[in-house]
Amino acid sequence: MATPGTATPATMTASATHLPRSTGPPDAEVDTAASMVDTIDEPALDIEHMPVENDPRMWSPARKNFVLTLIASGSMIAGFAANIQNPAIEDMEEDLPATSSQISLSVSLFILMQGSAPLLWSAISEVKGRRFVYLVSVAIFFAGSVVVATSKSIGLVIGMRILQAAGCANPYRVFKRGNVHWAATLADIFDPTERGTKMGIYYISPLLGPSLGPIIGGGLTTAFNWRAVFWFLSILAGVVFLGFLLLYKDTFRKERSATYQALIKRRLKEQAAKKLKEEEQAAQSRPESLKEKEREAGDREARTTNSSRDVEKAEPMAEVGALVKDPTLKISMRDVNPIKPLWLVLRRWNNALMLFASGLIFSYCFTVVYTTSRTLGSAYGYNPLKIGLVLLSFGLGNVAGSYLGGRWSDIQLSRLTEKNGGKTYAEMRLQSTKYAIWLFPISVVGLGWVCQQHVHVSAICVMLFLSGFFVISVYSSTLAYIVDANVGRSSTAVALNSFFRGVAAFLGTEIAVPIQDGLGDGWMYTIFAIALLFGSAAILLTMKKGEEWRTKAEASENKS
């Protein structure tokens, strides 16, 4: 039950919902209705903490951690799918047969689709909820995995890898690094002050995919063949599907959705406009002498009422409360414009800069595994299992950076909040990255030149671990920022983030391989590090100006 001063569903759309009923004459009622129309566009209240039925934020810690465990286990699908085939590249080329460029294309298109599909899944989740999207997407991934495992041509492999990507895009972007719905699910159940730590813990699981994927892929390929890799993915998808079907309860609450808020606002406008028109017609039909007497009576009543009424404590309009509880008020696909929400996120400078930085970061995460696999196979002569064992060091760095980076992010956020008088804002989250954003590019350069010189493999393991640690310690904070800075649009923001990462990874893979062949690992990674410095600059600029840009954008949106 809402306490005094707490937003309720009836008060969530605008201050118009606080307008008291007019008990004066018709002209006064017309003025009240007109005022209602004018004020519906005022800023919405805090939908982040909107009271809802069976509030996931109020669940017990054990229940919330169970949901965290469940979605984390599912998130491994995407991590495995993106990296598990890397040690099997040479085996696939011989068996299908296929050229190295065709295998590279299958990898690039996979990650491009994996980044793009969440834009659709995000819109569907606003209507059908998280659970529906999880089940359908995992089922699609299962079907694609089975067909890839039985494919006889590279063309069919490429096509079904794209289908796989569409299926694991939802878990991936919501699970793994952008984790559209998985990240949105965490936003459903955890408050902003908890999200850094929980996202750090959560990321350990999807990062096990890149960590263990190459080892499992290498082991299966060495023991059987490359097809065993995709049979493994099929079995994993089946287990995850059953887990969500039997154990997962949806955490999505429409009252905390910006889409639902917009629907309420539109319905309020329609009702207010209709009431205004009816009252104007009624007022015009009255004799002038009667109108004058009613206006005088209304003025006297208004003076008496205004002198005693506390506007801040005004009760919500009964019509609005009834509207929120109206079972016919449901979001449909017609209410979910997939373009407008994306534009509302992208047009904010703070979001644009963070999406740019995120794309660069993820491009490295994906490209480094692929290019290092090529170097270890060609220059060191390693078999698939040995390649997987070396790449494990990057995954272990990811796991350490995810947990420690998320924990450090929450510590810094709490410290800065206390220093700011108990008030917090999203940009505080980024303060925890101000050292790692410079150490990360340095570690990338170091990795490039130890690979170039073909030194002992232990040096490659160390540099893979360090770059893996720094990249995820930065990423966990930037993802939490993207969620915190887009209240009510977290799913859309993370979906757009996934799209940027998918495009960047696609371009990174297609560009990195020719540079690696032409200039070598040293200069390839040096060029990458220079690009990452631009991403670091974007994060710093968002730290400094993000709150100002975000506040202006929110004020502009509330007026439109």
Side-chain angles (χ1 to χ4, degrees):
M1 185 172 182
T3 58
T6 302
T8 65
T11 63
M12 77 176 183
T13 57
S15 62
T17 62
H18 292 280
L19 291 173
R21 286 182 177 278
S22 172
T23 56
D27 284 353
E29 293 179 0
V30 172
D31 292 339
T32 300
S35 175
M36 180 177 169
V37 174
D38 292 338
T39 55
I40 284 176
D41 285 330
E42 291 182 14
L45 296 179
D46 182 14
I47 64 172
E48 178 80 51
H49 299 94
M50 192 65 57
V52 295
E53 183 179 353
N54 190 21
D55 188 352
R57 303 268 178 85
M58 302 302 294
W59 289 352
S60 67
R63 185 177 181 183
K64 290 196 286 187
N65 288 329
F66 174 77
V67 174
L68 173 63
T69 302
L70 186 61
I71 66 170
S73 64
S75 71
M76 286 190 295
I77 288 180
F80 277 125
N83 297 279
I84 199 170
Q85 82 167 65
N86 287 335
I89 290 174
E90 293 183 1
D91 195 53
M92 293 178 70
E93 290 177 358
E94 288 182 19
D95 183 61
L96 285 171
T99 64
S100 59
S101 62
Q102 289 174 322
I103 297 296
S104 176
L105 181 62
S106 71
V107 173
S108 300
L109 290 176
F110 175 90
I111 199 63
L112 178 62
M113 175 57 71
Q114 199 177 53
S116 304
L119 299 177
L120 175 62
W121 291 127
S122 176
I124 295 175
S125 74
E126 291 291 312
V127 179
K128 298 294 186 179
R130 317 282 190 223
R131 185 174 185 270
F132 174 85
V133 173
Y134 290 154
L135 292 174
V136 172
S137 61
V138 174
I140 290 173
F141 178 82
F142 172 81
S145 299
V146 171
V147 176
V148 171
T150 58
S151 296
K152 301 295 184 181
S153 68
I154 185 60
L156 185 58
V157 168
I158 292 175
M160 289 300 101
R161 285 288 280 167
I162 292 174
L163 183 66
Q164 269 189 312
C168 71
N170 168 56
Y172 175 78
R173 297 315 182 204
V174 185
F175 291 129
K176 199 175 181 254
R177 302 175 171 53
N179 307 323
V180 172
H181 305 292
W182 308 105
T185 300
L186 296 184
D188 291 341
I189 62 178
F190 294 112
D191 278 315
T193 53
E194 300 178 276
R195 285 179 196 156
T197 298
K198 298 303 180 181
M199 282 190 178
I201 295 173
Y202 155 76
Y203 268 128
I204 290 176
S205 180
L207 291 172
L208 288 176
S211 305
L212 301 179
I215 296 178
I216 294 175
L220 290 172
T221 303
T222 301
F224 303 101
N225 54 42
W226 68 270
R227 298 180 188 278
V229 169
F230 294 96
W231 284 119
F232 169 80
L233 291 177
S234 302
I235 295 171
L236 179 62
V239 173
V240 170
F241 179 86
L242 290 176
F244 276 95
L245 180 65
L246 301 176
L247 303 175
Y248 179 74
K249 301 299 182 183
D250 209 334
T251 61
F252 177 71
R253 298 295 182 269
K254 62 183 180 180
E255 292 86 355
R256 288 176 178 165
S257 165
T259 303
Y260 183 73
Q261 187 185 45
L263 179 60
I264 289 278
K265 180 186 288 188
R266 186 166 67 251
R267 189 68 64 88
L268 280 171
K269 283 185 176 181
E270 292 171 355
Q271 291 185 354
K274 181 180 180 180
K275 182 177 181 180
L276 176 60
K277 183 177 180 180
E278 291 175 351
E279 292 175 347
E280 284 178 342
Q281 291 175 348
Q284 289 173 1
S285 65
R286 292 179 177 273
E288 286 298 325
S289 58
L290 182 57
K291 288 182 184 180
E292 184 63 29
K293 291 180 180 179
E294 289 172 341
R295 275 194 292 267
E296 291 175 0
D299 290 341
R300 286 194 299 272
E301 182 177 349
R303 285 193 294 269
T304 302
T305 304
N306 290 336
S307 63
S308 60
R309 183 196 305 143
D310 184 349
V311 177
E312 293 296 326
K313 297 180 181 180
E315 290 298 318
M317 294 173 62
E319 292 91 335
V320 179
L323 178 61
V324 174
K325 297 177 182 179
D326 184 356
T328 65
L329 189 67
K330 296 181 180 179
I331 301 175
S332 67
M333 289 304 295
R334 290 180 299 177
D335 299 307
V336 183
N337 181 343
I339 303 300
K340 185 177 180 180
L342 296 176
W343 171 241
L344 290 176
V345 171
L346 186 57
R347 72 177 182 178
R348 296 184 182 183
W349 276 105
N350 61 308
N351 287 334
L353 289 174
M354 293 305 296
L355 292 170
F356 169 74
S358 176
L360 288 174
I361 291 171
F362 182 73
S363 181
Y364 173 78
C365 287
F366 190 80
T367 303
V368 66
V369 176
Y370 186 73
T371 54
T372 304
S373 296
R374 298 180 79 231
T375 298
L376 293 172
S378 60
Y380 288 79
Y382 282 5
N383 64 26
L385 182 58
K386 286 185 177 180
I387 291 174
L389 289 171
V390 174
L391 294 178
L392 176 62
S393 57
F394 181 74
L396 293 176
N398 285 169
V399 171
S402 178
Y403 177 74
L404 296 178
R407 185 62 179 161
W408 175 246
S409 175
D410 279 347
I411 291 173
Q412 288 293 93
L413 181 62
S414 297
R415 181 183 66 82
L416 293 171
T417 300
E418 183 178 355
K419 185 177 179 181
N420 196 41
K423 297 180 180 180
T424 185
Y425 53 91
E427 287 69 27
M428 286 182 177
R429 176 78 65 185
L430 299 177
Q431 293 292 328
S432 62
T433 68
K434 59 186 178 183
Y435 300 116
I437 56 177
W438 305 116
L439 295 173
F440 172 39
I442 293 173
S443 67
V444 172
V445 173
L447 173 63
W449 288 103
V450 297
C451 288
Q452 177 76 23
Q453 298 301 319
H454 299 163
V455 300
H456 193 273
V457 72
S458 61
I460 295 179
C461 291
V462 170
M463 298 313 299
L464 280 171
F465 178 88
L466 289 176
S467 67
F469 179 90
F470 290 127
V471 68
I472 296 301
S473 63
V474 173
Y475 189 80
S476 61
S477 292
T478 56
L479 177 63
Y481 171 79
I482 289 172
V483 172
D484 292 346
N486 292 277
V487 175
R489 296 192 182 99
S490 60
S491 182
T492 300
V494 178
L496 188 58
N497 183 44
S498 300
F499 174 73
F500 268 71
R501 288 199 321 271
V503 172
F506 171 79
L507 295 175
T509 304
E510 291 298 300
I511 294 173
V513 172
I515 295 177
Q516 184 182 33
D517 292 339
L519 300 179
D521 288 307
W523 285 111
M524 180 193 69
Y525 283 112
T526 299
I527 293 171
F528 220 129
I530 293 172
L532 290 170
L533 288 175
F534 285 98
S536 299
I539 294 174
L540 282 177
L541 189 56
T542 304
M543 281 187 216
K544 183 177 179 62
K545 303 283 291 182
E547 183 183 15
E548 177 186 340
W549 290 333
R550 184 167 45 81
T551 302
K552 288 182 178 178
E554 288 171 355
S556 175
E557 290 167 12
N558 288 323
K559 291 178 182 178
S560 61

